[in-house]
Amino acid sequence: MIGRPHYLGYLYDRVGSANGGHECARVRMAAALRAVGPTVPDPASGRHYRRLLVAPGLAVELLGWGPAGLRQARTAVAVAVEHLGVPAAANEAIEELPVLGGPVFPFGG
């Protein structure tokens, strides 16, 4: 469950890497994460993946998103600070969400 989403922009994908080879635009939004449900198996592999909360800059590094990803993460942080009331300083801890889900954050719009 998320709070009210805030539009950040979009990423134009000429190659269609996220859309089966078809050109597309991937919308970027930020919202407060209120709660998560239980994990479900990945439809392609049947695996249950771990769900981790990490600072946006660390997520960019771990996922190999490069300079464009870092710009998007910084924009998301600025929106989260302004509209959702999150602290500007990132918590560098990595936190695993419970397998059964539950509430996450009480704050934000």
Side-chain angles (χ1 to χ4, degrees):
M1 290 178 40
I2 62 171
R4 189 177 130 243
H6 298 272
Y7 176 75
L8 302 175
Y10 68 93
L11 175 66
Y12 173 66
D13 185 354
R14 183 171 43 95
V15 178
S17 59
N19 193 28
H22 301 286
E23 175 178 38
C24 65
R26 292 184 260 161
V27 174
R28 302 297 194 220
M29 314 243 342
L33 181 61
R34 304 284 188 191
V36 295
T39 62
V40 295
D42 179 285
S45 68
R47 290 186 57 196
H48 282 264
Y49 291 98
R50 296 169 63 196
R51 300 177 297 175
L52 306 175
L53 292 176
V54 301
L58 181 56
V60 169
E61 185 178 330
L62 292 171
L63 295 168
W65 287 349
L70 187 56
R71 285 190 300 275
Q72 291 176 22
R74 287 180 177 154
T75 301
V77 168
V79 168
V81 168
E82 181 179 345
H83 296 285
L84 305 176
V86 302
N91 177 352
E92 294 298 326
I94 297 175
E95 184 178 340
E96 186 166 0
L97 295 173
V99 172
L100 297 178
V104 180
F105 295 116
F107 60 82

